[in-house]
mmCIF file of all heavy atoms in Angstrom:
data_model
loop_
_atom_site.group_PDB
_atom_site.id
_atom_site.type_symbol
_atom_site.label_atom_id
_atom_site.label_comp_id
_atom_site.label_asym_id
_atom_site.label_seq_id
_atom_site.Cartn_x
_atom_site.Cartn_y
_atom_site.Cartn_z
ATOM 1 N N ILE A 1498 -8.631 6.622 0.600
ATOM 2 C CA ILE A 1498 -7.609 5.696 1.065
ATOM 3 C C ILE A 1498 -7.767 4.395 0.298
ATOM 4 O O ILE A 1498 -8.886 3.884 0.157
ATOM 5 C CB ILE A 1498 -7.727 5.467 2.582
ATOM 6 C CG1 ILE A 1498 -7.423 6.785 3.305
ATOM 7 C CG2 ILE A 1498 -6.794 4.349 3.047
ATOM 8 C CD1 ILE A 1498 -7.617 6.753 4.792
ATOM 9 N N VAL A 1499 -6.655 3.881 -0.201
ATOM 10 C CA VAL A 1499 -6.650 2.637 -0.962
ATOM 11 C C VAL A 1499 -5.708 1.648 -0.280
ATOM 12 O O VAL A 1499 -4.730 2.042 0.357
ATOM 13 C CB VAL A 1499 -6.213 2.856 -2.426
ATOM 14 C CG1 VAL A 1499 -7.179 3.788 -3.145
ATOM 15 C CG2 VAL A 1499 -4.809 3.406 -2.512
ATOM 16 N N SER A 1500 -6.038 0.371 -0.408
ATOM 17 C CA SER A 1500 -5.135 -0.661 0.100
ATOM 18 C C SER A 1500 -5.270 -1.902 -0.761
ATOM 19 O O SER A 1500 -6.256 -2.073 -1.487
ATOM 20 C CB SER A 1500 -5.425 -0.981 1.572
ATOM 21 O OG SER A 1500 -6.665 -1.625 1.716
ATOM 22 N N ALA A 1501 -4.270 -2.747 -0.659
ATOM 23 C CA ALA A 1501 -4.278 -3.988 -1.431
ATOM 24 C C ALA A 1501 -3.502 -5.052 -0.682
ATOM 25 O O ALA A 1501 -2.563 -4.745 0.066
ATOM 26 C CB ALA A 1501 -3.678 -3.778 -2.814
ATOM 27 N N GLY A 1502 -3.906 -6.281 -0.898
ATOM 28 C CA GLY A 1502 -3.178 -7.434 -0.395
ATOM 29 C C GLY A 1502 -2.776 -8.259 -1.598
ATOM 30 O O GLY A 1502 -3.572 -8.427 -2.524
ATOM 31 N N ALA A 1503 -1.552 -8.739 -1.601
ATOM 32 C CA ALA A 1503 -1.073 -9.496 -2.762
ATOM 33 C C ALA A 1503 -0.294 -10.723 -2.326
ATOM 34 O O ALA A 1503 0.469 -10.685 -1.357
ATOM 35 C CB ALA A 1503 -0.204 -8.623 -3.646
ATOM 36 N N GLU A 1504 -0.498 -11.788 -3.063
ATOM 37 C CA GLU A 1504 0.261 -13.034 -2.925
ATOM 38 C C GLU A 1504 1.039 -13.174 -4.236
ATOM 39 O O GLU A 1504 0.441 -13.185 -5.306
ATOM 40 C CB GLU A 1504 -0.712 -14.199 -2.748
ATOM 41 C CG GLU A 1504 -0.091 -15.554 -2.868
ATOM 42 C CD GLU A 1504 -1.154 -16.654 -2.945
ATOM 43 O OE1 GLU A 1504 -2.367 -16.359 -2.939
ATOM 44 O OE2 GLU A 1504 -0.742 -17.814 -3.027
ATOM 45 N N VAL A 1505 2.355 -13.239 -4.146
ATOM 46 C CA VAL A 1505 3.170 -13.248 -5.359
ATOM 47 C C VAL A 1505 3.969 -14.548 -5.467
ATOM 48 O O VAL A 1505 4.719 -14.905 -4.559
ATOM 49 C CB VAL A 1505 4.138 -12.041 -5.400
ATOM 50 C CG1 VAL A 1505 4.955 -12.047 -6.681
ATOM 51 C CG2 VAL A 1505 3.363 -10.728 -5.266
ATOM 52 N N ASP A 1506 3.765 -15.238 -6.579
ATOM 53 C CA ASP A 1506 4.530 -16.438 -6.896
ATOM 54 C C ASP A 1506 5.607 -16.010 -7.891
ATOM 55 O O ASP A 1506 5.355 -15.913 -9.095
ATOM 56 C CB ASP A 1506 3.617 -17.511 -7.488
ATOM 57 C CG ASP A 1506 4.341 -18.814 -7.770
ATOM 58 O OD1 ASP A 1506 5.587 -18.798 -7.889
ATOM 59 O OD2 ASP A 1506 3.670 -19.851 -7.885
ATOM 60 N N PHE A 1507 6.803 -15.721 -7.380
ATOM 61 C CA PHE A 1507 7.878 -15.225 -8.233
ATOM 62 C C PHE A 1507 8.372 -16.288 -9.215
ATOM 63 O O PHE A 1507 8.813 -15.964 -10.308
ATOM 64 C CB PHE A 1507 9.043 -14.703 -7.386
ATOM 65 C CG PHE A 1507 8.721 -13.412 -6.679
ATOM 66 C CD1 PHE A 1507 8.354 -13.408 -5.344
ATOM 67 C CD2 PHE A 1507 8.776 -12.200 -7.349
ATOM 68 C CE1 PHE A 1507 8.055 -12.221 -4.688
ATOM 69 C CE2 PHE A 1507 8.482 -11.001 -6.705
ATOM 70 C CZ PHE A 1507 8.118 -11.018 -5.372
ATOM 71 N N GLU A 1508 8.299 -17.554 -8.832
ATOM 72 C CA GLU A 1508 8.759 -18.630 -9.715
ATOM 73 C C GLU A 1508 7.858 -18.781 -10.936
ATOM 74 O O GLU A 1508 8.336 -18.874 -12.067
ATOM 75 C CB GLU A 1508 8.816 -19.955 -8.960
ATOM 76 C CG GLU A 1508 9.906 -19.982 -7.905
ATOM 77 C CD GLU A 1508 9.817 -21.209 -7.026
ATOM 78 O OE1 GLU A 1508 8.725 -21.502 -6.512
ATOM 79 O OE2 GLU A 1508 10.863 -21.861 -6.869
ATOM 80 N N ALA A 1509 6.554 -18.819 -10.718
ATOM 81 C CA ALA A 1509 5.600 -18.993 -11.821
ATOM 82 C C ALA A 1509 5.233 -17.663 -12.483
ATOM 83 O O ALA A 1509 4.534 -17.650 -13.487
ATOM 84 C CB ALA A 1509 4.340 -19.692 -11.321
ATOM 85 N N GLU A 1510 5.684 -16.565 -11.881
ATOM 86 C CA GLU A 1510 5.387 -15.218 -12.366
ATOM 87 C C GLU A 1510 3.888 -14.958 -12.457
ATOM 88 O O GLU A 1510 3.385 -14.417 -13.444
ATOM 89 C CB GLU A 1510 6.077 -14.971 -13.716
ATOM 90 C CG GLU A 1510 7.581 -15.040 -13.625
ATOM 91 C CD GLU A 1510 8.298 -14.778 -14.942
ATOM 92 O OE1 GLU A 1510 7.628 -14.516 -15.960
ATOM 93 O OE2 GLU A 1510 9.532 -14.830 -14.932
ATOM 94 N N VAL A 1511 3.175 -15.329 -11.389
ATOM 95 C CA VAL A 1511 1.746 -15.061 -11.272
ATOM 96 C C VAL A 1511 1.483 -14.478 -9.885
ATOM 97 O O VAL A 1511 2.311 -14.589 -8.980
ATOM 98 C CB VAL A 1511 0.880 -16.333 -11.488
ATOM 99 C CG1 VAL A 1511 1.040 -16.848 -12.901
ATOM 100 C CG2 VAL A 1511 1.216 -17.400 -10.480
ATOM 101 N N PHE A 1512 0.315 -13.866 -9.729
ATOM 102 C CA PHE A 1512 -0.018 -13.266 -8.451
ATOM 103 C C PHE A 1512 -1.523 -13.267 -8.237
ATOM 104 O O PHE A 1512 -2.295 -13.384 -9.178
ATOM 105 C CB PHE A 1512 0.526 -11.834 -8.358
ATOM 106 C CG PHE A 1512 0.003 -10.937 -9.443
ATOM 107 C CD1 PHE A 1512 -1.165 -10.214 -9.269
ATOM 108 C CD2 PHE A 1512 0.684 -10.813 -10.654
ATOM 109 C CE1 PHE A 1512 -1.648 -9.385 -10.269
ATOM 110 C CE2 PHE A 1512 0.209 -9.985 -11.660
ATOM 111 C CZ PHE A 1512 -0.959 -9.269 -11.464
ATOM 112 N N VAL A 1513 -1.895 -13.152 -6.978
ATOM 113 C CA VAL A 1513 -3.289 -12.953 -6.578
ATOM 114 C C VAL A 1513 -3.307 -11.617 -5.857
ATOM 115 O O VAL A 1513 -2.524 -11.392 -4.935
ATOM 116 C CB VAL A 1513 -3.778 -14.070 -5.623
ATOM 117 C CG1 VAL A 1513 -5.179 -13.772 -5.110
ATOM 118 C CG2 VAL A 1513 -3.716 -15.422 -6.297
ATOM 119 N N VAL A 1514 -4.184 -10.719 -6.295
ATOM 120 C CA VAL A 1514 -4.257 -9.413 -5.648
ATOM 121 C C VAL A 1514 -5.714 -9.047 -5.403
ATOM 122 O O VAL A 1514 -6.589 -9.363 -6.205
ATOM 123 C CB VAL A 1514 -3.541 -8.314 -6.479
ATOM 124 C CG1 VAL A 1514 -4.265 -8.058 -7.784
ATOM 125 C CG2 VAL A 1514 -3.411 -7.030 -5.691
ATOM 126 N N ALA A 1515 -5.953 -8.439 -4.265
ATOM 127 C CA ALA A 1515 -7.282 -7.937 -3.927
ATOM 128 C C ALA A 1515 -7.097 -6.513 -3.411
ATOM 129 O O ALA A 1515 -6.181 -6.250 -2.626
ATOM 130 C CB ALA A 1515 -7.930 -8.803 -2.860
ATOM 131 N N SER A 1516 -7.929 -5.599 -3.870
ATOM 132 C CA SER A 1516 -7.793 -4.214 -3.441
ATOM 133 C C SER A 1516 -9.125 -3.684 -2.927
ATOM 134 O O SER A 1516 -10.179 -4.244 -3.201
ATOM 135 C CB SER A 1516 -7.286 -3.338 -4.589
ATOM 136 O OG SER A 1516 -8.200 -3.354 -5.653
ATOM 137 N N ALA A 1517 -9.025 -2.599 -2.170
ATOM 138 C CA ALA A 1517 -10.222 -1.943 -1.622
ATOM 139 C C ALA A 1517 -9.917 -0.455 -1.513
ATOM 140 O O ALA A 1517 -8.757 -0.039 -1.476
ATOM 141 C CB ALA A 1517 -10.569 -2.517 -0.257
#
Side-chain angles (χ1 to χ4, degrees):
I1498 295 175
V1499 298
S1500 69
E1504 168 191 2
V1505 181
D1506 183 339
F1507 289 100
E1508 291 171 310
E1510 298 181 1
V1511 296
F1512 58 90
V1513 174
V1514 67
S1516 61

